[in-house]
Amino acid sequence: MILKRVLLVLLLLSISKFSHTPHLEATDPSSWTNSSVWDHNATLWSVLRPNSEFFTSYSYGFSIEFIVRKIAHLSFFGLLGLLFYWNFKKQSYRYIKAWLCVAAFAFLDEVHQAFIIGRDGRIIDVAVDSLGAAIALYLLYRARRTNVRVPK
C-alpha cells in the first residue's frame, strides 16, 4: 500500500522536475539537468488571459523531438492515471476520479511551465496528458472486465 503512494509522489515530483527544466529536449539527455530560471515578468493573468501563448498551437514543427515529447506525455501521464487509480480505495467512480486528478495536475503543470524561461505551457498538452491517462485507465478497465490478472 505504501509503495503505491511512494511511486505516485515520485512520479509527480519527476514530472514537476522535468517541467521546471528550461530548454528541455527529450532526445538530448544532457539537457535534462539545465538550471531553471523563473520568468519574473510572468503573472497568472499573462499566462491565462485569452489569446495568450497558453491557448495557441505549438510553435515548433513536426519532428522526432515532437513525437518523442508527445509519447512521453502520453506514457508518463498514463502511468500517473494508473497510480492515482491504485491509490484510491475501492469506490464508485474510481476511474473518473483518477482521470480528474491527472487532468488537474496536467493543467497546473502546464501553467507552471509557462513561468519557466525556455519552456512554454500549452492547453493542448493538458489534452494530450489527459488523453494518456484516459487511454491507460480505459485499458485497465477493459483488462479487468475480461478477467485479465491486473493489480487492484
Side-chain angles (χ1 to χ4, degrees):
M1 181 67 95
I2 188 117
L3 179 61
K4 291 183 220 177
R5 288 191 178 102
V6 169
L7 289 174
L8 175 62
V9 170
L10 286 175
L11 186 55
L12 289 168
L13 291 173
S14 298
I15 291 170
S16 296
K17 163 63 174 110
F18 280 114
S19 294
H20 203 69
T21 306
H23 307 292
L24 178 76
E25 292 184 30
T27 56
D28 179 12
S30 68
S31 73
W32 298 358
T33 57
N34 293 341
S35 297
S36 182
V37 179
W38 285 95
D39 182 356
H40 294 287
N41 295 321
T43 65
L44 194 56
W45 173 247
S46 71
V47 170
L48 296 178
R49 77 179 190 289
N51 300 324
S52 72
E53 185 178 75
F54 191 77
F55 298 104
T56 61
S57 61
Y58 302 113
S59 56
Y60 43 89
F62 192 76
S63 63
I64 192 70
E65 174 68 20
F66 177 83
I67 293 167
V68 170
R69 277 180 182 255
K70 296 315 136 196
I71 290 171
H73 275 262
L74 290 167
S75 303
F76 283 109
F77 283 86
L79 181 57
L80 189 61
L82 296 176
L83 287 170
F84 269 115
Y85 173 87
W86 285 321
N87 274 283
F88 286 129
K89 293 181 177 156
K90 294 178 185 174
Q91 53 188 304
S92 313
Y93 306 106
R94 200 163 116 178
Y95 292 98
I96 294 170
K97 290 175 184 176
W99 182 82
L100 288 172
C101 285
V102 171
F105 178 75
F107 177 77
L108 293 173
D109 184 57
E110 290 300 320
V111 169
H112 164 242
Q113 283 184 46
F115 284 89
I116 305 300
I117 292 176
R119 293 304 303 264
D120 55 7
R122 305 285 178 160
I123 196 73
I124 190 70
D125 279 340
V126 176
V128 172
D129 298 341
S130 300
L131 177 64
I135 290 169
L137 290 165
Y138 175 74
L139 292 174
L140 176 65
Y141 172 79
R142 292 295 299 170
R144 294 191 70 208
R145 296 278 299 184
T146 56
N147 294 324
V148 172
R149 175 84 175 110
V150 179
K152 295 183 182 209

